[in-house]
Amino acid sequence: PRTCLVTGAASGIGHATAALLRQRGHTVIGADLHAGDIRADLATDEGRAALVARARELTGGRLDAVVCCAGVARFDPVTIRLNHFGAVATLDGLLPLLAAGTAPRAVVVGSIDSVHPTDPETVAAALAGDEAAAVAAARAAVDRGEGHLVYSSSKAALSRWVRRTAVTDAWAGAGVTLNAVAPGVVVTPLTRPLLDDPATRALVERAVPMPLHGHARPEQIAPLIAWLASPENALVTGQVVFADGGADAVLRGDGT
Ligand code: NAI
């Protein structure tokens, strides 16, 4: 049995992943805003530091897998704070625990939205690690009526951070794999309000065409995350794996 930490474990994809890992006999430490073994606001520095400190206490300093699912899709700078900087701080903070683990693996949840238009300033600031500048750029996008770009920017930045970071000495050199799973539309509390309203549902269906099976359930994303987080994954690192019912193939065609 492995010891795994899952953020966003109280709902949706994180909940399904934590349940699957537990069902397979692993120990899961669930982290979320108001529920689970570790309660922390990962949009803040204090919450991120608290998560790492508590994880160290609960595990004795060894983790075999970390899965970052916590995320929001609000037209607000909190979306870049949580989705990008919260995940990066979780992974950077827990890397020493992973390095002490067995067949250590890290997985983040990206999104099909990362292939949609983004706000280049928000993405550049996020990749530069400058949270204040990224928040300012996100706020500017919201103020000019492009709040939807904050979410796509957060996922584009996170996916590119994964590709850059996975191959560094600190990660690959320590034997820790790092990948992103990019879902299409998954029916969870995050998307339900959009899907319940016929007008926004039509927009979502046009933006994210899913020819295979239509909209997904969180239980259909969890097994891929679990595999990437398992010792069976010997060679996959630095990848953004689309679990999207074909949406990326439709949207980008021959683009690779
Ligand atoms: P969800 O809303 O069901 O779960 C998100 C979890 O994150 C919740 O338990 C929530 O309490 C937690 N959370 C929110 N703010 C937090 C904070 N400040 N600190 C710590 N935890 C916080 O959403 P869902 O759909 O399961 O999303 C999980 C991940 O998957 C997110 O990163 C989301 O962006 C991503 N995703 C979701 C898609 C979908 O269609 N549902 C598609 C592509 C990506």
Side-chain angles (χ1 to χ4, degrees):
R2 290 161 67 74
T3 303
C4 312
L5 186 144
V6 179
T7 75
S11 177
I13 296 168
H15 185 264
T17 302
L20 179 63
L21 291 170
R22 285 196 181 104
Q23 188 192 315
R24 292 182 177 174
H26 304 302
T27 299
V28 176
I29 298 168
D32 210 292
L33 192 50
H34 301 302
D37 309 298
I38 302 179
R39 295 169 192 207
D41 181 351
L42 298 176
T44 68
D45 283 339
E46 308 76 63
R48 297 165 190 162
L51 171 99
V52 173
R54 190 80 183 106
R56 207 179 276 282
E57 282 171 18
L58 290 172
T59 62
R62 288 174 53 99
L63 265 174
D64 304 314
V66 174
V67 179
C68 294
C69 298
V72 289
R74 290 167 45 193
F75 291 16
D76 185 286
V78 73
T79 298
I80 189 79
R81 280 195 187 280
L82 176 64
N83 296 10
H84 180 80
F85 290 95
V88 168
T90 298
L91 292 169
D92 280 344
L94 296 177
L95 179 58
L97 283 69
L98 283 169
T102 302
R105 310 284 180 249
V107 184
V108 305
V109 183
S111 171
I112 185 64
D113 253 40
S114 65
V115 311
H116 284 143
T118 58
D119 176 53
E121 278 185 44
T122 304
V123 174
L127 283 170
D130 188 339
E131 187 163 0
V135 166
R139 186 165 308 287
V142 173
D143 289 346
R144 64 173 187 269
E146 295 188 315
H148 60 287
L149 296 183
V150 182
Y151 183 76
S152 58
S153 300
S154 74
K155 296 302 187 176
L158 185 61
S159 297
R160 286 169 62 182
W161 180 86
V162 162
R163 289 182 66 75
R164 292 177 182 189
T165 306
V167 293
T168 58
D169 273 356
W171 286 81
V176 190
T177 69
L178 171 59
N179 293 284
V181 169
V185 179
V186 185
V187 182
T188 70
L190 184 131
T191 49
R192 207 178 300 277
L194 292 170
L195 299 174
D196 284 348
D197 175 337
T200 49
R201 186 184 181 96
L203 288 176
V204 168
E205 280 169 358
R206 210 163 42 241
V208 186
M210 297 176 67
L212 181 76
H213 305 322
H215 297 157
R217 289 179 288 109
E219 294 74 21
Q220 294 173 311
I221 305 295
L224 175 60
I225 296 176
W227 185 82
L228 288 168
S230 77
E232 276 192 24
N233 172 22
L235 288 177
V236 180
T237 200
Q239 292 297 322
V240 179
V241 185
F242 287 86
D244 64 357
D248 179 53
V250 173
L251 293 170
R252 292 202 296 176
D254 286 346
T256 53

